[in-house]
Amino acid sequence: MRALRILLIVVVILGGLFVIADRVAVNFAEGEAADRLKATENLSTTPDVSIKGFPFLTQVVGGSLDDIEVGITNYEAAAGNGTEKIRIDDLRADMRGVEFSGDYSSATATSATGTATIAYDELLKTAKSEPTQVAPGVTANVVGLSDGGNGKIKVTVEATVLGTKLPEPVSVLSSVTVIDGTVRVKADGLPKFGGVEIAESRVRAITDFQQKIDGLPGGIKLDKVQAAPNGVEITVKGSNVRLAG
């Protein structure tokens, strides 16, 4: 019995040492991965990297990690013709099946899914915020975007008729979709500007707009979008996503 107790104690001690070594190793690996991702994506701040699964060391021996979570705040994505930027807030991605090279210089995830937010004030930059003529004597421009409820965006438009600004801005509920990496905002109906009849195409030139977004980390792509209280919530996905190298 005494020998068995000693054996159990030794097993517990070795198990504890293994757990400690495993956690030290994973913390070190998370820091290295964060630094490499920062360099690869030219980020201004170090991202959060969390390696899931236990034990970590046996995953390393196998050359593949089951699950890595990455968090990036204030990511500057390419927009429009590529020379412009749009801020993506709180990008969170879950990377699955991450394989890495022997010297850890490169890592690629089999698949990735995630979420992020584009603030309304950021998306507003893509709308026509300068007064534009929509009919003789009538100019209009978008002055605000906000949550319209039920997944809709409230687009607020200010208009001037014959040199007089309308006392109150008009608003319209709009649907938001994403097609081929482009976020599109389209009014469900058309606002009226002081009772003046204006061609639909002229009105939509103000109320409807779109913004292409690409250059997301590792090559992930926009998948879905929906209006929310703090901005447009987006989901992203990708395959063979590059984390480093």
Side-chain angles (χ1 to χ4, degrees):
M1 290 295 295
R2 183 171 181 273
L4 179 59
R5 286 197 299 271
I6 293 174
L7 178 60
L8 289 175
I9 293 172
V10 170
V11 169
V12 170
I13 292 174
L14 290 177
L17 292 175
F18 176 77
V19 170
I20 293 172
D22 192 81
R23 294 302 88 190
V24 170
V26 77
N27 288 337
F28 175 79
E30 288 171 344
E32 287 294 304
D35 290 340
R36 289 187 181 275
L37 181 58
K38 179 182 179 181
T40 299
E41 296 296 336
N42 194 28
L43 304 176
S44 59
T45 59
T46 303
D48 294 326
V49 174
S50 178
I51 300 175
K52 304 299 181 180
F54 178 83
F56 166 71
L57 292 175
T58 57
Q59 295 182 71
V60 171
V61 172
S64 178
L65 301 177
D66 297 334
D67 186 3
I68 297 180
E69 292 182 2
V70 176
I72 302 175
T73 58
N74 299 329
Y75 182 79
E76 297 288 332
N81 58 13
T83 61
E84 301 173 353
K85 297 289 185 179
I86 187 168
R87 189 183 75 251
I88 308 292
D89 295 329
D90 196 23
L91 175 61
R92 299 282 165 180
D94 188 11
M95 312 289 185
R96 298 280 185 172
V98 180
E99 297 185 355
F100 49 88
S101 61
D103 60 357
Y104 307 106
S105 62
S106 64
T108 303
T110 302
S111 64
T113 57
T115 60
T117 300
I118 303 175
Y120 285 120
D121 62 345
E122 194 71 12
L123 191 60
L124 181 62
K125 297 176 183 178
T126 69
K128 289 188 176 179
S129 56
E130 294 297 325
T132 302
Q133 182 172 304
V134 294
V138 181
T139 61
N141 60 293
V142 176
V143 295
L145 301 176
S146 59
D147 180 26
N150 297 319
K152 302 290 185 179
I153 293 179
K154 181 181 178 182
V155 180
T156 302
V157 181
E158 200 170 67
T160 298
V161 179
L162 298 176
T164 302
K165 183 180 294 186
L166 296 183
E168 294 291 338
V170 296
S171 61
V172 61
L173 293 179
S174 299
S175 298
V176 57
T177 57
V178 60
I179 300 176
D180 295 331
T182 298
V183 176
R184 300 184 177 182
V185 178
K186 183 177 181 179
D188 295 346
L190 298 178
K192 298 295 184 180
F193 302 119
V196 178
E197 291 295 329
I198 302 174
E200 179 176 346
S201 61
R202 302 287 292 180
V203 177
R204 288 196 177 279
I206 301 298
T207 61
D208 300 357
F209 57 93
Q210 62 184 33
Q211 177 63 72
K212 184 172 181 59
I213 300 174
D214 50 25
L216 293 174
I220 55 177
K221 303 294 184 181
L222 297 186
D223 183 32
K224 299 177 182 178
V225 293
Q226 179 175 306
N230 297 323
V232 175
E233 292 182 349
I234 64 176
T235 59
V236 298
K237 68 177 182 179
S239 57
N240 297 321
V241 176
R242 178 175 50 84
L243 290 174

